[in-house]
Amino acid sequence: MYRISEDLESGLGGYHVSTAHDAAPEDIEIVIGASADNLESGTNVQDGDSGAHDRRSSWLCTSLMSWRSRPNDDASVRDHPETEPANATGGFVIELDKVVQVVRDRDLQALNQYNGVGGLSTLLKTDLERGIDRRDDEILQRRQAFGSNTYPCKKGKTFWSFVWKACQFPLSLVMIIAVVINSILLRIKRKAIHDGLYVETCAISATVLDIILRAFIEYKHSRQSEKASEEKRNVPQDVIRGGRRLSVCTNDIVVGDIVPLKNGCQVPADGVLFVANSLKIDEQEITGSHLIVQKDILKDPFLLSGSKVIEGIGTMLVTSVGTNTEWGKKIETQPEMDEEKPFQLYVKRLAISASWLVIMLASIACIVQLCRYFNGRTKNSDGTPMYIPGNTTLDEAIEFVIKSLSFGMGTIIVAVPVGLFIAVLLNLANTTRKMMTDNALVQTLSACETMGYVTTILCHKTGILTLNKMSVVDVWAGGIRVQHVEDVSHFPSIPTKLIIEGIAQNTNGSVVFETGVTEPEVYGSPTEQAILNWGNKLGMKFDEARSGSPVLHVIPFNPKNKYGGVALQVGTGHHIHWKGSAKVILNSCQWYMDGANNRIAIGGQRREMEGIIGDMSMRGMRCAALAYQSYELGSLPTTDEELCTLPQDLVLLAIIGMKDPCRPGTRDAVELCKYGGIKVCMVTEDEVSTAQAMAMECGILRDTSGEHIRTAAQFCDLTDLEREQISGDILVLAQASPEDSLLFVKALKRKGYVVAATGMGIHDTKTLHVADVSLAMGIGGTAAAKENSDIIILDDSFASIVKVIQWCRYLYTNIQRYVLFRLTVSVSAVAICVVEVVFYNAFPLNAVQLLLLNLIVDIFGALALAYRPSARKLMGKPPVGIRDHLVTKTMWFKIVIQVIYLVLLLALIHSDSILKLDHGQTADTEKVKNTFIFNSLVFCLVFNEFEIRSGDQTLKEILRDNMFIVTITSTIIFQIILIEFLGIFIYAVRLDLKKWLISILVGFLSQVATRFPLEAYQYYRH
């Protein structure tokens, strides 16, 4: 005798058939409902047809069946010798260690001692059919008793650890050594330099501020990384609670939950399988084994958290969560990795090279000055030599030596471009924060650079280019075609009863009527939801249709064969309902059913039906078909092989056209990519005509010539060389599997393209690994895809991907700006000092002024150039080559022009007959000159910032940038205070209005000097 139990309330869409024996789980015969996901083209993993029930928080897997073994008698469980006391764990009849050990040790004998999964579920107070109660207090009790499904983040590094790391940075070491030497020199003969205390204070302040600022930014980055890890683990997962399918966060799963699994899912916790159908699991990340494990509820029912479902479907009972799982232990022992950003690697090499040059030039300047001094070439203000052998005292000689060396140390401190790294960190922090507001979570910071180089985006259709919200818009049934499915009156004569039977029974979805609600709630994949909604319009009463015909066997949906089915007992006979790709089903049909339930031979109407399918596909619809076959009692096939083989004499019930609308903003985003020199390639499992129609709607294709479309079969039949040659011309790859996408990415990369690829399921992880930049979807993406991605697109929108490219180009140009600014300052400072010392035998800038310049450049300059609004104009040119230099030839040319301008400025200042600077009888002429040089250099830097910012912005746009205006204003106010009120501390004198105006004019002319009809930045428009 067979006992049929129906799952009416839970919405699991399945039945359990078991024999009425006394044995526990060994006598269970497993049957599972077919998945109709992605009927036209195959599995939903590739196209992300695991869409969202709502925009952000739901992630609905294909609805799975719930099976319940014969209920175990409570008395038999209580009398079992292994049963724990009732108060063992928070009122549960089993201790935490015991239930954890069952799966950890994969102890089948221990599971059988608990009377199998049925007995274990009783100990955990779980109904295998309805799940646990949905009450908050019930969830809290389980969390307190067995722990939560969270993994405690490792304690991040402290701020002081980042300070220590910053001190070990090569350029920071150079500055520290320079400061130490400078301090020693000042302490040897402090009385020789009256401003020695100020020099020492400024040198230490400059070095400490650089180190602290660098450490602070990296510390903030580490905190952002922790938030990214939390977001990555925040994956919605379907569970069964209180007889309802719910979508909860993975972190909210508790011991005792019933979790349905399907192809492409990641197991969210450790558990025991009690429903399985061709379930294959990849446990490589947990066990290290490269073998795919075929799960069996009798021999190997144990599932480990973090493992991936490669094939099949099933349902598990959660037995341990969080740190009690194998995955939790693995996360705890993972080493912490420090990622060095590519921009920093380049800037590091550039800065170290510049530092050695600065040290060499500063040393040459000091040596020349000391040689001049001891040779009597250095003069006093009255024209007498400063050093006269026998007359000059030892203190005077030591004073000059210390002053020269201190000047050299100050030159090194101001010219060593430590601020380059601060600018890179500031820009990265600002850019990633802005990207987060645009629904993009950066996991790998190096991807921010690479994304700016991207030339090709390999994008899945479903869920990214489209909304992943399917609806039935076109139907052929009963010999007639209806394109107004909203009006039920248009279906006067169709085999409604058989269609409803096929829809309700051959599905993994479910329809639930809540009390007081007129419209039912439909669960399942987008494809299942569309078909079930159409069934509701036909008058389907889901629960009644499910209970009307017992399920005898289920043929799971096979993505390769593109069909699935279910065998029913109907009266004294049997029906097998089939659902799948319209072309596949139609090829196996010899009859169709009219409205009077008469079987009519298809015959010459086959071409008409094929034309209808073709027309639906050309309008961008995904086509599915429903068919059935009846059997007399006792004639139903008995073997799995016979049951899973599609017969060739089916009766066609309906051809269904489902539309997934293009996501708003997608077409504009695709056009913007084309404008920016980026090619968008669509990868889909749809038929060629459907793919072409959607590509036209999204703006990827401009015509229907088919020149840029290839099927995966055509592409795979080519050799590697042929694939490489043709890859650049392909814009749409139809009927493609994840393996085909992988071949496409490899071919594009060999051709020289920089590829960004999207991924949703676990089968996409290889493609994500190979792509230059991997993009996972936040809503439709699985945990495995998120783990293997560089950037997570939180809203699954293609428009957000384009925003990521804009921000990454923005990052690139911002770093270019600051590199140009900082190198200009370093080269200019060294040039001024060397020229003054060598040619004019003077110290134009004292050590305090040099150190103040360092503070102005590294802090105010970094803030002024790092924080700026994104420029849409950055998409106006093709992407920069991945091998192009960050510092272009034009940028070097600008630096050279600036240096030449400053050298000429020095010549003009020293030529009083040209500038006619009247210093008066009491003023110190040398101090006035040096103060004027210092003041002019500061204004050159201020106007240089304007010149750098105005490359792609108008003056009006620049003045709207509050951060830039604040930093520039602060720099000018700080300079005025220094010159007019704190001159004693920097060995400067006050300047009159005329000299202030000339200093400003000198700064303004420096901007004009560096403007010429050549582009400094690759992304700027002509």
Side-chain angles (χ1 to χ4, degrees):
M1 295 289 294
Y2 284 87
R3 178 172 49 81
I4 309 295
S5 65
E6 302 177 11
D7 181 6
L8 302 177
E9 285 280 55
S10 66
L12 297 178
Y15 297 86
H16 165 247
V17 184
S18 65
T19 55
H21 296 296
D22 293 334
E26 286 81 358
D27 61 346
I28 298 174
E29 176 187 350
I30 300 301
V31 292
I32 298 185
S35 169
D37 194 20
N38 205 351
L39 300 170
E40 174 63 21
S41 54
T43 181
N44 67 327
V45 177
Q46 175 70 11
D47 266 354
D49 197 11
S50 56
H53 181 60
D54 68 54
R55 184 175 180 271
R56 183 61 70 92
S57 63
S58 290
W59 177 44
L60 293 177
C61 300
T62 304
S63 299
L64 302 177
M65 293 187 174
S66 171
W67 283 261
R68 183 165 54 90
S69 60
R70 183 177 61 84
N72 296 284
D73 186 83
D74 290 343
S76 65
V77 174
R78 287 192 297 269
D79 294 339
H80 198 280
E82 296 295 328
T83 301
E84 302 296 332
N87 60 352
T89 304
F92 291 93
V93 195
I94 191 170
E95 290 183 351
L96 172 62
D97 293 340
K98 296 290 185 182
V99 70
V100 169
Q101 190 174 5
V102 171
V103 176
R104 180 181 298 169
D105 298 342
R106 304 198 184 201
D107 193 341
L108 192 60
Q109 183 178 359
L111 179 63
N112 290 332
Q113 287 178 345
Y114 288 116
N115 204 11
V117 182
L120 189 60
S121 67
T122 303
L123 298 177
L124 294 174
K125 300 181 180 180
T126 299
D127 187 315
L128 291 180
E129 181 178 337
R130 298 180 56 83
I132 63 175
D133 200 290
R134 289 185 288 174
R135 298 194 323 269
D136 291 340
D137 58 340
E138 171 74 12
I139 306 300
L140 180 61
Q141 182 185 10
R142 292 178 180 273
R143 192 171 287 126
Q144 291 174 343
F146 300 106
S148 62
N149 198 31
T150 56
Y151 310 100
C153 295
K154 289 185 178 181
K155 189 176 181 180
K157 293 182 179 179
T158 64
F159 172 74
W160 297 110
S161 65
F162 286 101
V163 172
W164 174 244
K165 179 183 175 182
C167 291
Q168 295 174 307
F169 188 64
L171 298 189
S172 297
L173 290 175
V174 171
M175 290 188 65
I176 292 172
I177 292 171
V179 168
V180 170
I181 295 175
N182 199 58
S183 299
I184 293 173
L185 291 173
L186 295 176
R187 292 184 183 280
I188 290 175
K189 199 70 174 175
R190 174 171 290 187
K191 65 178 182 179
I193 307 177
H194 73 278
D195 61 342
L197 179 61
Y198 312 140
V199 175
E200 188 174 5
T201 302
C202 289
I204 294 173
S205 299
T207 305
V208 169
L209 279 175
D210 275 330
I211 292 173
I212 294 296
L213 187 56
R214 176 183 170 86
F216 176 73
I217 297 171
E218 291 197 331
Y219 176 73
K220 286 189 66 177
H221 261 304
S222 69
R223 300 286 81 82
Q224 287 182 353
S225 298
E226 291 177 4
K227 292 180 181 179
S229 298
E230 293 175 4
E231 180 68 28
K232 185 166 55 178
R233 296 171 187 166
N234 186 17
V235 179
Q237 172 68 52
D238 279 5
V239 297
I240 307 302
R241 289 180 181 173
R244 294 287 186 269
R245 177 184 290 271
L246 304 174
S247 181
V248 301
C249 174
T250 305
N251 295 342
D252 294 331
I253 291 176
V254 294
V255 170
D257 262 326
I258 302 300
V259 179
L261 302 170
K262 70 165 187 175
N263 182 6
C265 292
Q266 182 164 322
V267 180
D270 285 0
V272 182
L273 196 67
F274 64 94
V275 173
N277 193 302
S278 304
L279 192 66
K280 294 182 179 180
I281 302 293
D282 179 7
E283 299 178 347
Q284 179 179 348
E285 292 192 25
I286 311 300
T287 63
S289 173
H290 292 271
L291 299 176
I292 303 299
V293 181
Q294 176 80 50
K295 289 297 178 178
D296 185 289
I297 64 168
L298 302 180
K299 299 178 182 178
D300 184 13
F302 305 107
L303 293 175
L304 301 178
S305 175
S307 55
K308 302 177 179 67
V309 181
I310 301 298
E311 185 179 318
I313 50 179
T315 309
M316 66 175 282
L317 169 68
V318 175
T319 58
S320 53
V321 294
T323 54
N324 295 320
T325 65
E326 291 298 315
W327 181 251
K329 291 185 176 181
K330 179 179 175 64
I331 289 179
E332 286 183 327
T333 57
Q334 281 181 343
E336 191 170 338
M337 303 295 290
D338 286 330
E339 179 194 2
E340 192 162 16
K341 296 78 181 171
F343 280 130
Q344 283 185 291
L345 292 174
Y346 178 85
V347 170
K348 184 178 182 179
R349 293 193 296 267
L350 179 66
I352 291 176
S353 301
S355 300
W356 283 112
L357 181 62
V358 166
I359 293 172
M360 183 183 69
L361 293 176
S363 302
I364 291 174
C366 288
I367 292 172
V368 170
Q369 183 66 16
L370 291 175
C371 290
R372 283 176 174 272
Y373 176 78
F374 287 109
N375 287 328
R377 302 282 298 278
T378 305
K379 308 293 183 179
N380 290 312
S381 57
D382 58 1
T384 59
M386 294 183 67
Y387 179 78
I388 302 175
N391 291 337
T392 303
T393 63
L394 179 62
D395 284 347
E396 292 174 339
I398 292 176
E399 177 183 353
F400 188 86
V401 171
I402 292 176
K403 185 177 181 180
S404 298
L405 294 177
S406 179
F407 170 78
M409 292 299 106
T411 303
I412 291 173
I413 293 173
V414 71
V416 170
V418 178
L420 288 178
F421 298 90
I422 296 175
V424 170
L425 292 172
L426 274 174
N427 275 283
L428 278 171
N430 183 46
T431 302
T432 53
R433 181 173 57 85
K434 294 286 188 181
M435 288 168 68
M436 177 65 95
T437 62
D438 282 334
N439 297 308
L441 175 63
V442 178
Q443 299 191 102
T444 307
L445 288 175
S446 59
C448 292
E449 177 185 1
T450 312
M451 198 66 178
Y453 302 135
V454 163
T455 60
T456 303
I457 301 176
L458 196 69
C459 185
H460 295 89
K461 176 184 77 78
T462 306
I464 303 175
L465 296 173
T466 65
L467 287 172
N468 203 18
K469 294 182 179 179
M470 307 287 289
S471 59
V472 176
V473 296
D474 199 346
V475 173
W476 180 97
I480 61 173
R481 182 178 181 183
V482 179
Q483 295 177 285
H484 302 283
V485 296
E486 297 296 329
D487 191 351
V488 182
S489 63
H490 286 91
F491 294 96
S493 58
I494 64 172
T496 306
K497 182 178 180 181
L498 284 170
I499 290 175
I500 289 177
E501 183 181 85
I503 291 175
Q505 297 285 19
N506 191 16
T507 184
N508 285 327
S510 60
V511 180
V512 177
F513 284 87
E514 298 287 352
T515 304
V517 179
T518 56
E519 291 294 326
E521 194 166 357
V522 180
Y523 296 96
S525 71
T527 303
E528 295 283 6
Q529 289 184 44
I531 297 175
L532 287 171
N533 278 321
W534 180 58
N536 290 334
K537 293 174 184 177
L538 295 178
M540 176 181 68
K541 292 181 172 31
F542 185 76
D543 290 347
E544 291 181 11
R546 298 280 284 187
S547 60
S549 307
V551 175
L552 302 179
H553 193 85
V554 174
I555 302 97
F557 181 80
N558 189 315
K560 294 182 180 179
N561 297 332
K562 300 183 181 180
Y563 63 79
V566 59
L568 309 174
Q569 180 178 335
V570 181
T572 59
H574 305 290
H575 286 173
I576 298 184
H577 282 273
W578 300 91
K579 178 169 59 177
S581 166
K583 288 185 177 180
V584 174
I585 296 295
L586 179 60
N587 288 337
S588 297
C589 291
Q590 298 297 327
W591 316 83
Y592 75 90
M593 188 71 71
D594 67 5
N597 288 337
N598 298 317
R599 294 203 316 175
I600 300 175
I602 291 178
Q605 298 187 56
R606 185 176 299 276
R607 288 200 173 190
E608 178 187 349
M609 296 175 184
E610 291 173 349
I612 291 173
I613 294 173
D615 180 62
M616 289 180 178
S617 298
M618 290 179 66
R619 292 166 56 200
M621 299 181 200
R622 177 171 294 175
C623 299
L626 305 178
Y628 95 110
Q629 189 175 40
S630 60
Y631 294 87
E632 298 295 332
L633 186 65
S635 62
L636 190 70
T638 55
T639 65
D640 288 343
E641 184 177 354
E642 290 177 330
L643 283 168
C644 293
T645 302
L646 193 65
Q648 296 302 307
D649 57 347
L650 297 181
V651 179
L652 182 65
L653 297 177
I655 299 173
I656 304 170
M658 293 167 287
K659 182 73 172 178
D660 186 8
C662 182
R663 190 182 289 271
T666 295
R667 190 178 183 88
D668 292 338
V670 171
E671 290 297 327
L672 189 59
C673 283
K674 292 180 180 179
Y675 186 58
I678 300 172
K679 183 177 70 170
V680 181
C681 298
M682 186 178 81
V683 178
T684 178
E685 292 186 340
D686 286 334
E687 298 290 339
V688 172
S689 53
T690 304
Q692 179 174 283
M694 290 306 303
M696 290 285 292
E697 185 177 346
C698 295
I700 295 174
L701 291 177
R702 297 187 184 276
D703 55 62
T704 57
S705 63
E707 179 183 356
H708 301 290
I709 302 178
R710 294 291 185 279
T711 65
Q714 293 171 338
F715 187 71
C716 293
D717 286 342
L718 303 175
T719 63
D720 288 344
L721 181 59
E722 290 172 334
R723 281 197 289 266
E724 179 183 334
Q725 292 173 343
I726 200 176
S727 61
D729 298 326
I730 298 176
L731 295 179
V732 177
L733 189 65
Q735 299 176 343
S737 66
E739 292 76 16
D740 301 323
S741 298
L742 178 61
L743 288 176
F744 192 21
V745 171
K746 289 181 177 178
L748 287 168
K749 290 189 66 176
R750 288 196 302 270
K751 187 72 173 177
Y753 291 96
V754 181
V755 183
T758 62
M760 289 193 171
I762 62 172
H763 301 293
D764 295 321
T765 54
K766 291 183 180 179
T767 304
L768 294 176
H769 274 300
V770 172
D772 295 292
V773 181
S774 51
L775 306 169
M777 300 300 111
I779 300 174
T782 60
K786 294 179 182 180
E787 287 286 344
N788 291 277
S789 66
D790 298 318
I791 300 173
I792 299 176
I793 307 300
L794 299 176
D795 62 350
D796 290 12
S797 173
F798 183 78
S800 296
I801 297 176
V802 180
K803 289 178 182 178
V804 169
I805 296 175
Q806 288 179 326
W807 280 118
C808 292
R809 289 189 173 190
Y810 153 89
L811 172 66
Y812 188 93
T813 52
N814 262 16
I815 291 178
Q816 272 190 318
R817 285 184 176 91
Y818 188 79
V819 167
L820 175 60
F821 176 70
R822 192 60 180 84
L823 290 179
T824 301
V825 173
S826 296
V827 175
S828 300
V830 173
I832 289 174
C833 294
V834 172
V835 170
E836 279 280 322
V837 169
V838 174
F839 293 99
Y840 297 104
N841 194 24
F843 295 107
L845 301 175
N846 59 56
V848 179
Q849 292 170 346
L850 288 172
L851 294 169
L852 287 173
L853 274 178
N854 186 65
L855 293 178
I856 292 172
V857 171
D858 283 349
I859 296 177
F860 290 116
L863 290 174
L865 297 177
Y867 293 93
R868 58 179 297 274
S870 174
R872 297 285 177 181
K873 299 175 183 178
L874 294 179
M875 293 297 289
K877 275 194 170 184
V880 175
I882 196 169
R883 294 178 179 82
D884 289 355
H885 293 292
L886 182 68
V887 182
T888 64
K889 293 180 180 178
T890 306
M891 293 170 67
W892 286 117
F893 194 26
K894 280 180 174 285
I895 293 172
V896 171
I897 290 178
Q898 183 75 11
V899 171
I900 293 173
Y901 173 81
L902 291 174
V903 171
L904 292 175
L905 174 65
L906 288 176
L908 291 174
I909 292 173
H910 283 279
S911 176
D912 288 339
S913 60
I914 297 177
L915 288 181
K916 301 184 183 302
L917 295 175
D918 184 11
H919 308 308
Q921 300 297 324
T922 58
D924 189 336
T925 303
E926 201 66 32
K927 278 189 176 182
V928 172
K929 281 186 178 181
N930 292 342
T931 303
F932 182 79
I933 291 173
F934 173 65
N935 201 39
S936 299
L937 182 58
V938 170
F939 277 101
C940 283
L941 298 181
V942 170
F943 280 98
N944 192 27
E945 291 176 15
F946 269 101
E947 195 275 330
I948 290 173
R949 284 293 299 271
S950 62
D952 64 342
Q953 288 182 298
T954 63
L955 180 61
K956 187 177 181 180
E957 290 173 334
I958 294 174
L959 295 178
R960 288 177 181 173
D961 187 352
N962 295 331
M963 178 61 76
F964 181 77
I965 296 302
V966 167
T967 51
I968 291 296
T969 304
S970 301
T971 303
I972 295 173
I973 294 174
F974 183 60
Q975 180 67 11
I976 294 173
I977 293 173
L978 279 177
I979 299 297
E980 296 297 321
F981 303 103
L982 302 177
I984 188 173
F985 297 105
I986 63 171
Y987 201 62
V989 296
R990 290 184 176 183
L991 299 176
D992 57 30
L993 180 61
K994 176 184 176 182
K995 296 180 181 63
W996 273 103
L997 293 176
I998 294 176
S999 297
I1000 295 172
L1001 179 62
V1002 166
F1004 176 77
L1005 292 176
S1006 72
Q1007 179 187 212
V1008 176
T1010 53
R1011 279 188 175 273
F1012 51 90
L1014 292 175
E1015 293 179 279
Y1017 313 107
Q1018 291 94 324
Y1019 288 127
Y1020 287 175
R1021 282 181 176 176
H1022 290 288

